[in-house]
């Protein structure tokens, strides 16, 4: 009878966070975003993420073990008209996490950027972008992709074939084409 291999114990701390997204024109008199909401979005997506990464990274490096997985978004790959602050904060998450992964790639601390597309949650309704829902991924599928990235020792994972294709195309397409296409998709319904 073959011996059963011992699987390493994986301790996971999960935080429920459906995010904060502002959807409107930044400086418009009718749908203007207030600075308090903008600041909360920046605080959550940039400052809190950076502080939490800093807090957990030092002990992981001391033990030379652990996983940091930061969630960016498909909006991280190009400017996001009508979600300008959200898209910019997710671009920060992508750049910050990829840079850390490179800095610490010679350690056994795995640092991963996960880039899902739209996912089933109250996210769109709360942000006022309910019309953008389209085909959404199930949260459990995104979680499976996160664990797969950990198992495969990846530092970067775009969730979904069409999202992966889009992420590869955006940098090689003309900037104006990308920007105008995203603007057309994101435009508020009347």
């Amino acid at each position: 009878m073959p011996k059963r291999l011992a699987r390493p114990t994986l301790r996971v701390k999960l935080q429920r966070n459906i995010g904060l997204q502002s959807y409107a024109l930044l400086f418009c008199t009718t749908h203007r975003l207030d600075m308090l909401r903008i600041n909360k979005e920046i605080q959550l997506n940039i400052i809190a993420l950076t502080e939490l990464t800093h807090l957990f990274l030092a002990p992981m490096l001391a033990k030379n073990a652990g996983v940091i997985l930061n969630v960016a978004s498909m909006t991280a790959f190009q400017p996001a008209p009508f979600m300008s602050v959200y898209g910019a904060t997710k671009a920060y998450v992508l750049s910050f996490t990829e840079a850390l992964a490179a800095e610490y790639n010679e350690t056994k601390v795995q640092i991963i950027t996960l880039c899902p597309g739209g996912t089933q949650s109250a996210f769109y309704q709360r942000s006022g972008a309910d019309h953008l829902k389209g085909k959404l991924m199930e949260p459990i599928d995104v979680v499976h992709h996160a664990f797969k990235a950990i198992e495969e020792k990846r530092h970067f994972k775009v969730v979904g074939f069409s999202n992966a294709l889009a992420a590869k195309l955006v940098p090689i397409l003309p900037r104006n084409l990308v920007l105008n296409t995203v603007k057309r998709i994101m435009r508020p319904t009347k």
Side-chain angles (χ1 to χ4, degrees), residues 48-59 68 96 100:
L49 176 127
T50 305
E51 289 177 352
L52 286 169
T53 302
H54 181 264
L55 178 70
F56 286 100
L57 185 57
I68 291 178
F96 171 72
L100 287 178

Side-chain angles (χ1 to χ4, degrees), residues 25-33:
L25 295 171
L26 191 58
F27 300 106
C28 174
T29 55
T30 55
H31 295 95
R32 188 173 167 175
L33 298 176

Side-chain angles (χ1 to χ4, degrees), residues 116-180:
T119 305
Q120 291 277 351
S121 71
F123 184 76
Y124 293 94
Q125 184 180 12
R126 287 184 182 174
S127 68
D130 207 32
H131 68 284
L132 291 177
K133 288 200 308 196
K135 185 178 179 188
L136 300 177
M137 290 180 281
E138 292 294 327
I140 193 67
D141 294 331
V142 176
V143 171
H144 285 299
H145 280 278
F147 279 107
K148 189 173 180 181
I150 293 168
E151 289 172 7
E152 294 173 352
K153 305 278 188 221
R154 308 236 346 230
H155 74 277
F156 176 79
K157 176 83 172 158
V158 175
V159 181
F161 176 78
S162 60
N163 290 335
L165 181 61
K168 287 181 178 171
L169 286 175
V170 164
I172 61 173
L173 292 173
R175 196 79 171 152
N176 281 341
L177 174 66
V178 170
L179 192 56
N180 289 328

Side-chain angles (χ1 to χ4, degrees), residues 13 15 22 49 51 53 60 75 80-81 89 124 140 146 155 190:
K13 291 184 180 182
Q15 177 182 349
S22 299
L49 176 127
E51 289 177 352
T53 302
M60 287 180 184
T75 61
T89 64
Y124 293 94
I140 193 67
H155 74 277
K190 300 193 181 196

Side-chain angles (χ1 to χ4, degrees), residues 17 19-20 37-55 70-72 76 84-97 100:
N17 177 0
L20 177 65
R37 183 174 175 99
I38 292 168
N39 287 337
K40 284 181 181 179
E41 192 168 345
I42 293 168
Q43 174 69 38
L44 176 67
N45 292 344
I46 295 178
I47 297 169
L49 176 127
T50 305
E51 289 177 352
L52 286 169
T53 302
H54 181 264
L55 178 70
N70 286 334
V71 180
S84 57
V85 174
Y86 177 78
T89 64
K90 291 304 185 171
Y92 171 85
V93 173
L94 176 62
S95 179
F96 171 72
T97 309
L100 287 178

